[in-house]
Amino acid sequence: MVDARRAVAALLLMAAGAAAAQDAQLARNLAAVCANCHGTDGHARGDLIKPLAGLPAERVVSAMVGFRSGALPATVMHQIARGFTDEQVKAIASYYAAQPARP
Amino acid sequence: MKLSPVNASRMLSRRRLLCGGAAAVALPLFGCASTMRGPPGRVVVVGGGYGGATAARYLRLWGGDIEVTLVERQADFVSCPLSNLVISGHKQMADITRPYSGLEALGVRRIQGNAVAIDPQARQVRLADGRALDYDRAIVAPGVDFTPGEVIGLESAAAQQKILHAWKAGPQTVALRRQIEAMPDGGVYALTIPTAPFRCPPGPYERACLVADYFKQFKPRSKVLLLDANPEIQSKKVLFEKAFAEHYKGIIEYRPNTELKEVDAATNTAKFDFEDVKADVLNVVPPQRAADIVRSAGLVNVNNRWVGVHWLTMEATAAPGIHVLGDATFAAPLMPKSGHLANQHAKVAAAAIIQQLKGQPVSTTPVVANTCYSYVTAREAVHISTVHQYDAVDKTFKVVPGSGGLSSAASALEGRIALAWADNIWADTLAI
């Protein structure tokens, strides 16, 4: 019985681990949508496009909220920001926050 | 996991060792591949444009030890976006050409060659030189080819050398620039546009603007005739109309509903239903379809022109295990044939293939976006953007209502951003 319970617990842990792994990939995949302009893993080149790597997640989230509402001026980001859900923005922000600021 | 060149070469050495013998030296990765099945897997990518190169890059970036082979005809990557600036003389070919060395440093095996066939049963890509590459999954990002015979008079090689398309960046880009440069002041440059869908919907209108900008400065008595098979401008309509009126009044003449039927290469004449147009430089963008290699592989199944794909994996609906990217696909609603989207398709495919090779479920909530800049003068640009979320009910990508849009007006700032866009997407695509 005890062994069975342990096995179930282990399975649950594995399932939780798998779910977390899938979430990590989801964030990675969503963040890659931005990479065309903002650089692979957020390492943008030049001084016109903001590098996202290593930015605190709250800054990316609040910028996206600002773009969406129009409070923050933008050439294109107000249009892009309106295409993502709150959850997706959070996932993207967390992914970039975890990237080293320099490649 | 990133694989350093050192690790990559170690992997090759290990493979050579395992394969053993002279055959392994001749065919280091493929000679004994059939005895080495199992994870992580071999992916052959056909086509090194925005789609194929990005797929190769992201398979190595995200996929650990997946063996990636990229087959591309050209020695270097040449960008179609920005190539209109070469045609107008504002940029040089070197400005839009980038190397594949970054991909090779990531462990991508690059073969400069011509893939001529894909055999879904044997799981092989065949090259013109006779080689056959085994794959567990194939990615085909072949771009478009032109439909021969749809324009009478354009069938012969001689006619095609004189009447250029320059709709694939490369030698034709340079050749068209030479024709426009050699044209006398007071001449007519005529550009014909095929019925949509075609690669780069705003491209012809941008080309008209940039050539007109060059004429304004260097050949002020010359004209640009824009002859469109479609009933209206196909992308960024209000912005191009504004540019035509503000900058190119008396230079650009736009004629909708004007479908090219025939050309006479000897006299540089374009023939339409009700008129003939003689030009000093005649630039014909011919009707397009998915490139010939996917056609011969039996993957073309929409309108006899395009490849239907499952959008969660980018696999051809006609052949599981073969993923098709970019311009060759039958587009999801409001999804243009753009380099930016080919790069995005590639990331969806790379993520899915890595899962599939592991026997794990693929992501069911992918998102792709498009940002596309066009120059309306040599300095000022405009953009169109869209965000597409996957819709599980209709099994396709759909534009998020309220997202995306056009520039409010052309600006020099967006002209600079367009160059920054290119710099960044080239780096993302090619790992440079």
Side-chain angles (χ1 to χ4, degrees), chain B residues 68-355:
Chain B
V68 182
T69 303
L70 175 65
V71 183
E72 163 59 43
R73 290 190 197 110
Q74 300 189 123
D76 295 301
F77 172 92
V78 185
S79 174
C80 251
L82 300 194
S83 69
N84 281 333
L85 286 165
V86 177
I87 288 164
S88 62
H90 296 99
K91 291 264 175 211
Q92 304 299 314
M93 285 303 280
D95 298 323
I96 62 165
T97 303
R98 292 292 180 273
Y100 287 114
S101 52
L103 295 179
E104 289 172 316
L106 279 178
V108 173
R109 182 191 184 205
R110 184 171 69 93
I111 296 178
Q112 191 184 344
N114 195 11
V116 290
I118 305 161
D119 183 338
Q121 272 72 46
R123 290 188 171 253
Q124 279 187 334
V125 171
R126 301 212 171 92
L127 308 187
D129 64 11
R131 277 186 283 181
L133 310 177
D134 293 322
Y135 66 79
D136 296 310
R137 298 213 154 247
I139 294 178
V140 192
V144 295
D145 274 331
F146 304 116
T147 319
E150 264 190 74
V151 178
I152 300 164
L154 205 52
E155 302 89 349
S156 73
Q160 289 170 21
Q161 263 171 12
K162 188 170 180 207
I163 299 175
L164 305 170
H165 53 77
W167 217 243
K168 298 179 182 185
Q172 288 230 348
T173 311
V174 178
L176 181 60
R177 171 64 196 152
R178 289 205 181 116
Q179 286 187 354
I180 288 170
E181 232 175 346
M183 193 187 90
D185 188 14
V188 172
Y189 163 69
L191 170 59
T192 73
I193 306 170
T195 306
F198 52 87
R199 161 180 283 182
C200 189
Y205 315 100
E206 179 194 57
R207 184 174 290 183
C209 286
L210 286 172
V211 172
D213 188 318
Y214 163 73
F215 285 168
K216 234 172 129 171
Q217 200 179 347
F218 295 100
K219 293 171 184 174
R221 294 186 298 115
S222 308
K223 304 275 179 240
V224 175
L225 255 182
L226 194 48
L227 303 157
D228 195 341
N230 301 287
E232 59 179 2
I233 293 174
Q234 293 297 293
S235 178
K236 305 169 184 162
K237 185 179 174 218
V238 292
L239 295 165
F240 281 119
E241 282 175 343
K242 201 166 173 224
F244 292 176
E246 266 180 21
H247 299 290
Y248 309 117
K249 212 166 179 169
I251 300 176
I252 293 179
E253 182 185 336
Y254 176 68
R255 291 188 204 163
N257 296 310
T258 307
E259 186 177 11
L260 181 66
K261 300 291 183 192
E262 188 176 343
V263 294
D264 180 356
T267 57
N268 254 13
T269 304
K271 300 183 177 181
F272 304 88
D273 275 336
F274 303 108
E275 62 177 334
D276 291 355
V277 172
K278 198 172 174 312
D280 295 277
V281 175
L282 178 55
N283 179 192
V284 170
V285 180
Q288 293 160 33
R289 63 183 191 189
D292 292 342
I293 187 163
V294 284
R295 200 168 186 82
S296 58
L299 307 185
V300 168
N301 58 2
V302 184
N303 299 336
N304 199 29
R305 280 179 194 264
W306 310 110
V307 179
V309 294
H310 297 294
W311 291 103
L312 285 183
T313 61
M314 302 304 298
E315 280 171 283
T317 53
I322 303 180
H323 304 249
V324 180
L325 314 177
D327 296 350
T329 59
F330 178 67
L334 300 174
M335 191 181 270
K337 296 188 183 302
S338 76
H340 195 108
L341 269 166
N343 167 298
Q344 300 263 302
H345 289 172
K347 292 165 182 170
V348 172
I353 286 170
I354 291 161
Q355 296 300 99

Side-chain angles (χ1 to χ4, degrees), chain A residues 6-102:
Chain A
R6 271 193 197 139
V8 168
L11 266 177
L12 282 174
L13 266 177
M14 278 168 62
Q22 206 166 26
D23 280 347
Q25 280 156 10
L26 184 64
R28 179 201 72 184
N29 295 349
L30 288 170
V33 177
C34 318
N36 302 41
C37 301
H38 287 278
T40 310
D41 287 337
H43 299 117
R45 296 179 169 202
D47 51 7
L48 276 175
I49 298 175
K50 183 93 182 157
L52 302 176
L55 278 188
E58 317 82 72
R59 276 189 59 192
V60 173
V61 171
S62 69
M64 288 291 269
V65 169
F67 286 136
R68 220 188 265 164
S69 70
L72 268 184
T75 56
V76 67
M77 278 310 299
H78 56 303
Q79 299 164 351
I80 301 290
R82 288 171 194 147
F84 291 86
T85 65
D86 291 345
E87 290 69 31
Q88 288 171 337
V89 168
K90 277 183 209 154
I92 291 167
S94 304
Y95 180 84
Y96 282 122
Q99 301 307 310
R102 289 184 185 280

